[in-house]
Amino acid sequence: MLYVQGKSSSMSGCLNCFSTPLGKEGRLKGAAAADRNKGHILAVLRESVNTGKPLQALEIASGTGQHVIHFAQALRNIIWQPSEYDRQTLASIEAYRAGYPMNNVKPAIHLDVSLPHQYWGGIQPESFDLVVNINMIHISPMACTEGLFRGAGAVLKPRGLLLTYGPYAVNGQITPQSNVDFNYSLRQRNPEWGLRDISLLSSLAQKNGLFLEKIVDMPANNKCLLFRKESVV
């Protein structure tokens, strides 16, 4: 198993993990990257979603559970559904839920984003206002990215929002050099990994009834991409 930027992945699946292995007792664990970026991502969420009415949100590849707990504490109007592919990591999410009890975070579900949404733990079409995916796209096979956009197009309500976060290529170029080096290291570990071009993601979005509404530059050479579901698909 390989650990990169607070995430882990295997050759065969879409895994989202933590900085240290989870113990048998299922204690919560922390990823340093999540601690660094959770406040910045929350600021984007505050500007992008309606904080005055009840909403439903799905986080895909929740990892340790740090993000969903942080967001749920700040955005109490949103009911959060965490999800994760790696079954060990699900225990960390549940440990965070136990350590920070809130009535707006549901039990985490096992979710393989590469599969059609009909296999996403009973999630119904057009049932979410928001889908969040952090630091997965560049450290998983393309099938996971394709599944993310296909599934988001199905489970989001009309005018719903998909937020992705991570490093990306722009018009075929990767900058700065640190991201070039990071992309190289990812591809050395697994040829199926690597920074995806925003134009490719925009094309995938359009095929699934979404459009790229906004790009937000973030610290550490990352970006938030905001994709909106069309009113009529």
Side-chain angles (χ1 to χ4, degrees), residues 27-90:
R27 292 180 299 182
L28 55 84
K29 294 294 179 179
D35 277 335
R36 290 193 298 268
N37 62 38
K38 63 186 182 182
H40 301 295
I41 300 171
L42 174 60
V44 176
L45 286 171
R46 287 187 186 277
E47 295 178 357
S48 305
V49 301
N50 187 335
T51 59
K53 73 171 188 175
L55 301 175
Q56 299 285 330
L58 168 67
E59 185 184 23
I60 294 175
S62 295
T64 60
Q66 290 164 269
H67 286 116
V68 71
I69 292 299
H70 186 70
F71 300 157
Q73 287 175 325
L75 301 171
R76 296 282 183 160
N77 64 305
I78 301 179
I79 303 296
W80 293 86
Q81 174 63 76
S83 70
E84 177 54 54
Y85 176 83
D86 181 36
R87 294 190 184 275
Q88 266 198 318
T89 315
L90 286 168

Side-chain angles (χ1 to χ4, degrees), residues 57-58 60 128-133 148 152 155-156 161-164:
L58 168 67
I60 294 175
F128 288 97
D129 304 280
L130 173 68
V131 174
V132 176
N133 181 245
L148 171 67
V155 305
L156 280 172
L161 186 70
L162 166 64
L163 181 151
T164 72

